[in-house]
């Protein structure tokens, strides 16, 4: 990810003077238990993304089966093509649940007393890095999912076939793999434009609501600080020139957008209000200045997965920037 990025307090209205090492941070003894738990989940993330990237779907087999409803051989061929794909979609969904638990563990560690969130981020660099990696994975997954209509098509065909054969009293072995209850949960998950982000947003909101003794500012300050740090890394040539490759730029952009969306879901007035601790104009401008092909997907995430963009408290200037 490049060299240590030094973030100077004078550059950040709401952020302290400290390093965020997104490459080399190693867990201290105090971080080890949570780090090991989250690390086990993150180890799966690369494989999940690789599987999703190579997901081609069973479009041809499904079309042939639909066009020839009386050809049992084509029906069987389509079914045999779809079943392993649905098993793969189930693995993706189950991974989202593990990712949710990992996020919760990180939120607990990065907001717990006696330290303030900013102190946590400075002291617990390895956990901050893992938090960033979860957000990077989440937006990467959702970008791939949004550009692959085969996922919805395959799953819809699977559900229709299950329903039809249940009515015909036929027993299907694959229903044990993805039964009706699991299929319902998966259907809700994949119906979302950005399912992983929705999962994390819900998890963050739930974390705040369940921890009533923890001031909500502890969570939102953690998120706004990370957004500030990423923005400064991206917009400051002195910091940007230390990046060794373009992956670091995209990593920072995804993390920045991810924490903005979580902040907007958790904070009562959201990320776009004048009282927000996130410089939304600066964040949007720095995104638009980047040459990456993924920028439009990140802007769409801000447009369509935030809660407060269309509130009256959002300035016309910010709305215009996101048009």
């Amino acid at each position: 990810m490049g060299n240590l990025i030094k973030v100077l307090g004078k550059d950040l209205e709401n952020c302290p003077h400290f390093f965020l090492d997104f490459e080399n941070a190693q867990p201290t003894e105090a971080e080890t238990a949570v780090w090991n738990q989250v690390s086990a989940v993150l180890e799966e993330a690369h494989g999940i993304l690789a599987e999703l990237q190579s997901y081609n779907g069973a479009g041809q087999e499904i079309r042939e089966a639909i066009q020839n409803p009386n050809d049992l051989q084509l029906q069987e061929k389509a079914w045999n093509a779809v079943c392993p794909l649905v098993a793969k979609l189930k693995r993706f969904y189950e991974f989202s649940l593990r990712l949710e638990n990992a996020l919760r563990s990180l939120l607990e560690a990065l907001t717990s007393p006696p330290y303030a969130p900013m102190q946590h981020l400075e002291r617990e660099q390895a956990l901050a890095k893992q938090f960033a990696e979860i957000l990077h994975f989440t937006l990467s997954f959702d970008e791939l999912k949004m550009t692959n209509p085969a996922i919805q098509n395959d799953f819809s065909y699977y559900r229709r076939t299950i329903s039809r054969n249940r009515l015909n009293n036929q027993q299907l072995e694959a229903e044990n793999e993805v039964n009706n209850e699991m299929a319902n949960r998966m259907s809700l998950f994949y119906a979302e434009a950005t399912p992983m982000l929705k999962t994390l947003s819900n998890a963050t909101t739930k974390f705040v609501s369940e921890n009533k003794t923890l001031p909500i500012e502890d969570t939102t300050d953690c998120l706004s600080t990370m957004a500030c740090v990423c923005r400064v890394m991206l917009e400051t040539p002195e910091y940007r020139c230390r990046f060794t490759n373009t992956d670091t730029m995209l990593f920072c952009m995804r993390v920045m957008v991810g924490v903005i969306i979580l902040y907007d879901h958790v904070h009562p007035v959201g990320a776009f209000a004048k009282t927000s601790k996130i410089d939304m104009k600066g964040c949007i401008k720095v995104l638009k200045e980047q040459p990456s092909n993924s920028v439009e997907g990140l802007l769409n995430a801000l447009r369509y997965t935030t809660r407060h963009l269309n509130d009256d408290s959002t300035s016309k200037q910010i709305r215009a920037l996101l048009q």
Side-chain angles (χ1 to χ4, degrees):
M1 283 291 172
N3 297 328
L4 284 174
I5 304 301
K6 187 175 185 181
V7 178
L8 299 176
K10 65 183 175 64
D11 290 325
L12 289 169
E13 201 174 306
N14 300 303
C15 296
H17 177 123
F18 67 91
F19 290 102
L20 265 184
D21 181 3
F22 281 147
E23 181 184 19
N24 299 309
Q26 294 299 315
T28 61
E29 188 177 345
E31 295 172 87
T32 301
V34 174
W35 189 90
N36 285 339
Q37 177 195 339
V38 177
S39 184
V41 176
L42 285 171
E43 281 174 11
E44 293 182 62
H46 297 295
I48 294 285
L49 284 181
E51 282 192 79
L52 181 56
Q53 199 151 19
S54 63
Y55 189 103
N56 293 320
Q60 181 65 31
E61 293 89 343
I62 290 172
R63 280 192 297 275
E64 290 176 353
I66 290 172
Q67 289 166 4
N68 301 277
N70 296 320
D71 189 324
L72 295 180
Q73 192 171 357
L74 287 177
Q75 306 307 310
E76 187 176 352
K77 182 181 178 184
W79 179 252
N80 290 336
V82 163
C83 280
L85 293 173
V86 169
K88 190 177 289 190
L89 294 179
K90 181 189 177 188
R91 285 200 300 278
F92 298 166
Y93 167 72
E94 289 176 334
F95 181 74
S96 77
L97 303 180
R98 291 196 290 279
L99 200 69
E100 180 180 349
N101 289 332
L103 179 77
R104 183 182 182 86
S105 295
L106 287 174
L107 285 172
E108 287 174 353
L110 293 171
T111 59
S112 61
Y115 301 112
M118 289 181 184
Q119 292 173 306
H120 276 298
L121 290 175
E122 184 174 4
R123 293 166 57 90
E124 291 146 19
Q125 295 272 314
L127 298 187
K129 177 175 180 280
Q130 287 185 321
F131 190 89
E133 286 173 345
I134 284 178
L135 291 167
H136 181 258
F137 163 81
T138 296
L139 273 83
S140 301
F141 181 97
D142 287 346
E143 283 171 16
L144 289 171
K145 185 266 180 184
M146 280 193 291
T147 56
N148 195 338
I151 290 171
Q152 288 284 70
N153 293 339
D154 293 346
F155 195 62
S156 295
Y157 178 80
Y158 174 85
R159 296 207 73 188
R160 289 198 305 272
T161 304
I162 283 283
S163 178
R164 186 169 62 246
N165 284 302
R166 190 184 292 110
L167 289 172
N168 293 339
N169 293 319
Q170 292 181 17
Q171 292 299 317
L172 293 170
E173 236 177 84
E175 196 175 354
N176 294 325
E177 175 71 24
V178 180
N179 60 29
N180 194 49
E181 183 185 347
M182 173 62 77
N184 287 336
R185 294 202 299 270
M186 288 172 61
S187 183
L188 291 172
F189 177 76
Y190 287 110
E192 296 288 341
T194 53
M196 287 289 179
L197 204 50
K198 179 70 172 175
T199 298
L200 295 195
S201 296
N202 289 345
T204 307
T205 304
K206 187 178 179 183
F207 171 79
V208 170
S209 66
E210 288 181 351
N211 288 273
K212 299 190 187 302
T213 58
L214 184 73
I216 189 171
E217 291 79 16
D218 285 14
T219 303
T220 55
D221 284 356
C222 175
L223 300 173
S224 62
T225 301
M226 289 194 73
C228 289
V229 171
C230 289
R231 174 178 60 77
V232 170
M233 287 186 194
L234 291 165
E235 71 184 7
T236 308
E238 179 192 344
Y239 304 149
R240 219 168 42 231
C241 71
R242 303 185 195 184
F243 296 160
T244 57
N245 54 56
T246 54
D247 288 346
T248 309
M249 296 285 287
L250 184 54
F251 182 90
C252 287
M253 285 190 283
R254 284 191 175 129
V255 173
M256 182 179 73
V257 169
V259 289
I260 288 170
I261 292 168
L262 295 186
Y263 182 100
D264 193 62
H265 276 257
V266 172
H267 198 283
V269 297
F272 300 96
K274 288 181 181 177
T275 54
S276 167
K277 289 188 177 180
I278 296 176
D279 176 5
M280 285 306 305
K281 289 178 188 175
C283 290
I284 295 167
K285 284 178 180 175
V286 80
L287 280 177
K288 289 191 164 188
E289 289 167 1
Q290 308 310 319
S292 171
N293 293 330
S294 296
V295 167
E296 191 58 31
L298 294 175
L299 290 170
N300 281 336
L302 290 176
R303 290 173 185 130
Y304 305 121
T305 64
T306 48
R307 293 179 60 189
H308 295 279
L309 176 60
N310 295 315
D311 288 1
D312 292 339
S313 58
T314 302
S315 72
K316 291 180 181 178
Q317 190 177 2
I318 289 177
R319 288 184 194 171
L321 281 171
L322 279 174
Q323 286 299 318

